[in-house]
Amino acid sequence: QVQLLESGPKLVEPSGTLSLTCVVSGGSFSSSDWWSWVRQAPGKGPEWIGEIYHEGNTNYNPSFNSRVTISLDKSKNQFYLSLSSVTAADTAMYYCTKDPFGDYTEHWGRGTLVTVSS
Amino acid sequence: ERVMTQSPATLSVFPGERATLSCRASEDVSSNLAWYQHAPGQAPRLLIYGTTNRATGVPARFSGSGFGTEFTLTISSLQSEDSGFYYCQQYNNWPRTFGQGTKVEIK
């Protein structure tokens, strides 16, 4: 059973960069799966941020413009989220996920709450 | 992007009764629709994919139906452990988008 665990700073200053890590256990990146980041702001539905394939291909939600970067380190079984120029609107629970063929999400982490505030 | 609209916002149901949740897509998403359950303090859980397919380990009381722009999640006999938020998601068009959710409460 694949398990995902998010980690990173819980407080980020406005205009700074939000950086999160997802540790994957019980699975590997060498498959047809895509690995994504999803966030959920308080009182709102989830929002898909972007995804990465084990070969390094990435797709990003256009609503994030060029602020987002997703990368991976297969040797560590980890993938990463970097979101720059954050504002209070980026305050949310951030989840990492495993998505078969880049479709629906089969596995979710428990999420990590990130607050943007000075 | 496809906008997903869920209704009702909140659904209160007695244990053992049927719960019906709706999801509408702003444009055709074929059968590429998934449902997730999110209980407080837990990771979200995949319930249904491809509109009608139950994920591994999901009880038979959960079923999905629909096509195109109108979709339904039915819980045939609500159990106490079914309380929480339910979200639909389309993955027919990029970017994948979610509904705003339905909160299911046990009366």
Side-chain angles (χ1 to χ4, degrees):
Chain A
Q1 175 80 339
V2 172
Q3 292 190 330
L4 304 107
L5 183 64
E6 306 88 347
S7 64
K10 299 195 181 312
L11 182 65
V12 181
E13 291 197 350
S15 78
T17 297
L18 181 158
S19 298
L20 296 175
T21 297
C22 181
V23 178
V24 179
S25 57
S28 72
F29 290 112
S30 301
S31 68
S32 57
D33 300 314
W34 288 74
W35 305 83
S36 294
W37 288 94
V38 176
R39 74 178 187 182
Q40 186 169 18
K44 295 190 175 182
E47 179 180 31
W48 180 79
I49 300 171
E51 63 187 356
I52 190 164
Y53 194 54
H54 69 88
E55 295 179 342
N57 317 57
T58 54
N59 293 306
Y60 301 128
N61 188 328
S63 66
F64 291 90
N65 296 319
S66 56
R67 295 197 299 138
V68 62
T69 302
I70 297 175
S71 57
L72 66 84
D73 186 333
K74 288 191 281 188
S75 67
K76 294 183 178 179
N77 254 25
Q78 296 178 355
F79 65 107
Y80 312 96
L81 171 69
S82 176
L83 184 65
S84 62
S85 304
V86 297
T87 68
D90 294 307
T91 293
M93 186 74 80
Y94 285 77
Y95 299 92
C96 57
T97 75
K98 172 178 172 285
D99 310 336
F101 307 105
D103 294 333
Y104 54 87
T105 291
E106 186 176 36
H107 296 287
W108 298 69
R110 284 184 173 266
T112 185
L113 179 62
V114 180
T115 301
V116 178
S117 175
S118 55
Chain B
E1 68 179 42
R2 298 291 191 269
V3 176
M4 308 302 291
T5 303
Q6 292 184 242
S7 62
T10 303
L11 188 60
S12 294
V13 180
F14 285 104
E17 289 191 339
R18 177 186 297 263
T20 302
L21 290 69
S22 296
C23 174
R24 173 176 293 177
S26 60
E27 295 181 60
D28 188 354
V29 298
S30 187
S31 61
N32 296 310
L33 192 285
W35 290 93
Y36 303 90
Q37 177 192 56
H38 193 188
Q42 297 185 22
R45 172 195 183 193
L46 173 68
L47 293 176
I48 301 285
Y49 63 94
T51 298
T52 60
N53 302 291
R54 276 190 302 276
T56 302
V58 174
R61 65 180 181 273
F62 292 92
S63 63
S65 62
F67 186 84
T69 61
E70 300 284 344
F71 301 88
T72 300
L73 175 70
T74 301
I75 310 173
S76 61
S77 178
L78 197 73
Q79 308 296 305
S80 58
E81 62 265 30
D82 299 335
S83 64
F85 286 87
Y86 290 77
Y87 300 96
C88 62
Q89 179 208 29
Q90 68 83 20
Y91 51 93
N92 190 68
N93 299 87
W94 188 77
R96 294 173 249 164
T97 49
F98 294 84
Q100 80 280 16
T102 291
K103 182 179 182 180
V104 173
E105 297 178 334
I106 311 297
K107 279 187 179 177

